[in-house]
Amino acid sequence: MQLNTITNQTIALAGIAQAAALVQQLATTGTADPTAMETSIASVLKIDSDSVIDVYGSLAGIKLGLEQLNVQMTGYKIVNPEQARYSASLVFLENQLSGRKDLLKLIQIGITKAQAQGEHFGSLHENVLANLGEVYQSTISTLQPRIMVNGEQEYLSRPDVANKIRACLLAGIRSAILWKQCGGTRWKFL
């Protein structure tokens, strides 16, 4: 399978954009698009796949991400600077993470546990989200600079929303890893 194609890079980049959009939705409203959320969390739990699109199930699964890419990249001005900042931070942190075998091993162990939970409860169950949130917090959150999520304090202070945000950030890292595997670079991102 040829990974290094513009189509695969676009799909993975849409995964990053979708994760950033979900983080913003959760931080500002306490809720997020359920289909996009399901797809993004499932992408974290899908370690091996036959194709890039298989990571997300289908193009319909990353519809929100594709729409966000279209909005952000068709014009002379960044429409949503907050989402752009989250996306750029995810790409930057993935680059740092790639050199940390210790953190990658911890992430793999945590995701394996979450996979088992997801098979039993479903991928959006609070136990799965709490586990993925903990994986993010104990690994990627230790890298600098940390992603500072802006939003409404009433939502950011709720543990269930915080776990969903962290799980979505982990999904963004998953997409950033996939994007890099498909030939994406930080310079291409910019």
Side-chain angles (χ1 to χ4, degrees):
M1 170 179 67
Q2 171 72 16
L3 276 180
N4 193 350
T5 67
I6 193 72
T7 300
N8 286 342
Q9 289 175 26
T10 304
I11 292 167
L13 198 55
I16 297 169
Q18 181 160 297
L22 290 169
V23 167
Q24 187 177 43
Q25 287 176 4
L26 288 163
T28 57
T29 68
T31 62
D33 179 310
T35 303
M37 184 83 175
E38 174 90 33
T39 298
S40 291
I41 299 305
S43 76
V44 175
L45 302 177
K46 184 119 184 175
I47 301 293
D48 297 316
S49 64
D50 296 328
S51 67
V52 173
I53 195 63
D54 188 44
V55 171
Y56 304 103
S58 69
L59 282 178
I62 55 168
K63 181 180 183 228
L64 175 64
L66 291 168
E67 290 171 349
Q68 294 304 311
L69 272 181
N70 185 45
V71 167
Q72 293 284 66
M73 297 185 147
T74 54
Y76 296 106
K77 185 171 132 176
I78 295 175
V79 175
N80 193 321
E82 199 70 31
Q83 283 183 26
R85 183 177 63 82
Y86 295 151
S87 295
S89 296
L90 288 167
V91 170
F92 182 78
L93 287 174
E94 182 284 326
N95 196 45
Q96 286 191 335
L97 179 64
S98 66
R100 296 285 308 269
K101 302 298 181 208
D102 57 329
L103 294 182
L104 289 169
K105 183 67 175 164
L106 290 173
I107 291 169
Q108 181 183 17
I109 291 168
I111 288 173
T112 302
K113 179 181 174 186
Q115 283 175 322
Q117 290 174 320
E119 289 172 12
H120 185 69
F121 296 116
S123 62
L124 291 183
H125 190 272
E126 64 187 66
N127 291 352
V128 176
L129 295 171
N131 184 36
L132 292 175
E134 172 57 31
V135 168
Y136 179 86
Q137 190 170 21
S138 64
T139 57
I140 297 160
S141 185
T142 64
L143 300 172
Q144 295 297 326
R146 293 179 64 183
I147 297 176
M148 302 305 293
V149 176
N150 295 323
E152 299 296 325
Q153 193 56 40
E154 69 178 288
Y155 303 121
L156 294 173
S157 62
R158 287 180 29 201
D160 62 319
V161 174
N163 284 333
K164 288 177 184 176
I165 288 171
R166 290 183 187 116
C168 287
L169 290 171
L170 187 59
I173 292 289
R174 165 66 166 121
S175 292
I177 290 169
L178 185 60
W179 183 64
K180 191 175 189 179
Q181 290 171 338
C182 294
T185 64
R186 284 175 57 197
W187 288 112
K188 282 184 181 179
F189 180 81
L190 294 174

